[in-house]
Amino acid sequence: MINNVQNNNFSFTGKSPLLKDIKQVKRIFFSEFKDVKSPARYELLPPEKQQELAPEIKELSDRLKFVRHFNKTLYEDGGLPEVFRGLIGCVKAFKVGNCAEFAEIGKTILKMNGIKNCDIYTLHAKAPDGTLRNLDQTLIAFKVPKTKNNPLTKRNGTYFRPAEDIRILDLWLGGFSGKVKQARKKYRILGMKPDDQLILKPENTYEPDLETIEKLKKEFPKLMFKNNK
């Protein structure tokens, strides 16, 4: 990896800046949100185990419904800063979230630390016959071209097949980080088949502005990378 170029002298490092950034966001997330439980994780358990844990699953699901309902009121109540402050605060306080909350918080941490080439997407699988299936999963992807992730067309939902070298970060899936080829194998646990194409769809979410980022840095200093504090 070329790190610096000065007078035609090249300096090499073992890891790319992106891999280091991903490592840091995972460290922060799993430290600060280690007690957060996900109702959707229980769906991966055998049916008999789900039945045994039914009361716990219902309690978590009800808690998540409240958090999501409350989060919908945040922009009207406090503008853009409150959207992000409220999401982080609610997930920490109620200790519940699914892949959408995990991805949103992960992206927010990245933005707070100056990482601009990332965004949130939903995951889909395209069968050989062209059938498109929603795998009901939200993740972060990096360095997606603007032609595939145009803020002006997000609301219309543009589906696309990402390039093989696009890197994905899924905090809900244990912090999985890998390129599209690796991701296809990983997402078999969610129903992706070996001959499916991995398809992404940009999510139309709020973007933190500079004022919001500065407020978040002051309120949540533990979400900053070590070298950015």
Side-chain angles (χ1 to χ4, degrees):
M1 173 67 191
I2 299 175
N3 189 42
N4 295 302
V5 181
Q6 293 182 337
N7 298 324
N8 294 323
N9 293 321
F10 297 94
S11 175
F12 295 91
T13 60
K15 288 187 177 181
S16 71
L18 177 57
L19 292 181
K20 291 180 179 179
D21 293 336
I22 290 174
K23 184 177 180 180
Q24 290 219 61
V25 75
K26 286 167 64 174
R27 173 186 60 80
I28 290 171
F29 183 86
F30 290 113
S31 173
E32 292 300 305
F33 300 90
K34 60 185 176 183
D35 297 328
V36 175
K37 292 186 177 181
S38 169
R41 288 191 186 280
Y42 292 82
E43 297 175 9
L44 303 179
L45 297 175
E48 59 273 12
K49 191 65 176 179
Q50 292 186 43
Q51 185 175 1
E52 177 186 337
L53 298 173
E56 180 178 343
I57 296 172
K58 183 180 186 307
E59 194 275 333
L60 282 173
S61 298
D62 290 344
R63 219 190 301 171
L64 182 59
K65 287 178 182 178
F66 172 81
V67 168
R68 289 183 170 178
H69 176 76
F70 180 74
N71 286 343
K72 290 180 180 180
T73 70
L74 294 175
Y75 185 84
E76 184 177 346
D77 290 344
L80 200 55
E82 187 64 16
V83 169
F84 296 92
R85 191 201 68 80
L87 173 65
I88 294 169
C90 279
V91 171
K92 287 180 74 70
F94 288 90
K95 302 184 186 304
V96 67
N98 273 344
C99 57
E101 287 74 26
F102 284 29
E104 187 71 65
I105 291 173
K107 176 185 170 182
T108 302
I109 295 171
L110 287 161
K111 296 291 184 177
M112 287 172 64
N113 287 279
I115 313 305
K116 299 179 180 179
N117 58 354
C118 61
D119 212 338
I120 298 173
Y121 302 83
T122 52
L123 176 67
H124 304 261
K126 188 175 182 179
D129 65 0
T131 303
L132 193 66
R133 306 190 312 280
N134 185 349
L135 298 185
D136 195 22
Q137 186 73 356
T138 307
L139 51 84
I140 300 168
F142 298 84
K143 298 184 179 181
V144 172
K146 289 185 178 180
T147 54
K148 305 293 185 182
N149 184 32
N150 188 332
L152 299 178
T153 60
K154 276 186 180 183
R155 192 174 298 276
N156 296 327
T158 303
Y159 297 85
F160 68 96
R161 181 182 180 184
E164 291 291 307
D165 62 347
I166 291 294
R167 185 166 290 275
I168 285 170
L169 171 62
D170 192 330
L171 293 168
W172 184 88
L173 204 60
F176 164 73
S177 171
K179 295 183 179 180
V180 168
K181 182 177 181 179
Q182 298 166 302
R184 281 202 301 270
K185 295 179 180 179
K186 192 71 175 180
Y187 285 122
R188 289 179 187 177
I189 193 173
L190 299 181
M192 182 164 284
K193 300 176 182 178
D195 56 354
D196 283 339
Q197 293 180 12
L198 187 152
I199 303 295
L200 297 179
K201 173 179 170 291
E203 281 295 277
N204 186 38
T205 60
Y206 290 105
E207 289 289 330
D209 57 15
L210 291 178
E211 177 188 0
T212 298
I213 288 174
E214 290 306 312
K215 288 183 177 181
L216 292 175
K217 287 180 179 180
K218 292 178 181 179
E219 185 161 356
F220 303 105
K222 291 183 179 180
L223 301 187
M224 298 301 296
F225 293 174
K226 290 181 179 180
N227 57 321
N228 283 351
K229 290 184 178 179

